Amino acid sequence: MNARLIFALLATSLPLSAHDLVIANGRVMDPASGLDAVRHIGITGGKISAISETPLSGDKILGVAGHVVSPGFIDIHAHGQTTGDMQIQARDGVTTALDVEVGVYPVEPWYRSMEGKAPLNYGATVGHIAARFAAFHPGIEVGHWTVNRARLAGLGASPAGANKIASEAELKLMDEAIRRGLDEGALGIGFGINYTPAADPSEIEAMFLIAAERKVPAFVHTRAFGIAAIREAIDTAKKTAAALHIVHVGSSGITDVPEVLKLIDTSKAAGMDLTTEVYPYTAASTALESAMFNSGWQDNLKISYGDLAWAATGERLTQETFESYRKQGGWVIIYMMKDENVEKAIAHHGVMIASDGIPFIDGKGHPRGAGTFARVLGHYSREKKLLPLMDALAKMTILPAKRLEGHVPMMKNKGRIAIGADADIAVFDPAKVIDRATFEAPTTPSAGIPHVLVNGTFVVRDGELVKDARPGRAVRVTP
């Protein structure tokens, strides 16, 4: 008899007061099992201890009639890894926020720095960008996300870490750094090739070979935008037998999204371990001083100066202000996608939902870090009827869990409502859930999500943030 079955049998015979908390009379929707019915959920010791058709008793009872009780949302691509950014995401139903694209380096100190500070579960890949910068700029600390700010102290406007071909010695340092990060529990290898344009195909192939050897995915922001760069990543994954996750397919594919989705489906049908994600907005955002805006950026992004907005003020750029702000450094909003292509990706089978949310600075930034999941549930599922609610939930719960659980066993207990699973739970009103964050007010919390629990602890209760809650735990590969 397996452990899960034993747990289930025991749960049915627990004394009436055995549960720490009971979530009562909610419409439980669990994409992993297909369950969609009114149930009572018992939570004990941070785990789901009962799923019952009949009422349960416990130390605390939370009545949620008329609300959906779903697994908490797993944001597999979230850069806002501060306490404040996570609290904003909690109001959007997120319970686990992972940075798989840019990642971190060094890995162990970053995980250590997060202990006791995280409202949500947290984790990261080892970042190729940061490892590359460290190889080219020894002695300068390169940490989480700062690698996308090309004007690191002492590096100047065009750092070698982004713009210089690697020597054999530098490749060796990168190799050692990536392997060290994986040894320290990183979730895979993160790539932002567009931010390191001098990383030639042979370098990327060498890093993919490490991913294949260690049986972890390569999470990739491709070299450029459009199908040619996505095909390059897929071909490299095929050649090296590495598992591949292509980030933000809406912005990565831009006008080629329909063809990109077909290519991904064809590649998966041929046996590739290949996944992707999308955020539900038609604008992107990144640092203006990054290598993405090196000469030729207009052809890469298929836009021009007026399609960029300075995040701090909302003003559209001109050539003059572009050059001024690029020297200064800061975030821009990039209007580069069409809604019909974003919709195709959101509705497409197997495409996950992820925010790509960047850190908010003085309340400014991109609203995707605050409203991604409620926007899919409210705007695209309920209002536009683009996809059924259960399908939408699958894209933000069980699909990201399954992308990771093959090499991160703890993810087998996330993304589902099941006996013994972690009590990471979102409770929302399906008739009212909606995003409220805008480009003008990007940190405005989502509506219609009154309760969010992380490991059985409320981080949002009765629609209000529990400000001191820090129940988040590290998600990492353990030996």
Side-chain angles (χ1 to χ4, degrees), residues 80-133:
Q81 296 280 324
T82 68
T83 299
D85 289 316
M86 286 187 172
Q87 288 177 324
I88 291 168
Q89 282 213 288
R91 299 287 298 273
D92 200 33
V94 175
T95 55
T96 298
L98 310 172
D99 186 344
V100 300
E101 179 203 35
V102 171
V104 298
Y105 179 78
V107 171
E108 179 58 37
W110 179 80
Y111 271 107
R112 194 164 55 246
S113 75
M114 296 291 289
E115 292 175 2
K117 300 177 183 177
L120 311 180
N121 302 307
Y122 56 92
T125 56
V126 55
H128 168 255
I129 303 175
R132 195 175 205 277
F133 271 64

Side-chain angles (χ1 to χ4, degrees), residues 23-29 36-40 62-70 382 389 426-433 448-451:
I23 301 177
N25 288 304
R27 177 189 173 188
V28 175
M29 296 187 70
D36 182 0
V38 173
R39 292 289 187 271
H40 306 266
L62 178 68
V64 295
H67 287 66
V68 169
V69 180
S70 81
R382 184 183 66 242
L389 180 57
V427 179
F428 63 91
D429 185 337
K432 296 180 179 179
V433 62
I449 306 177
H451 310 291

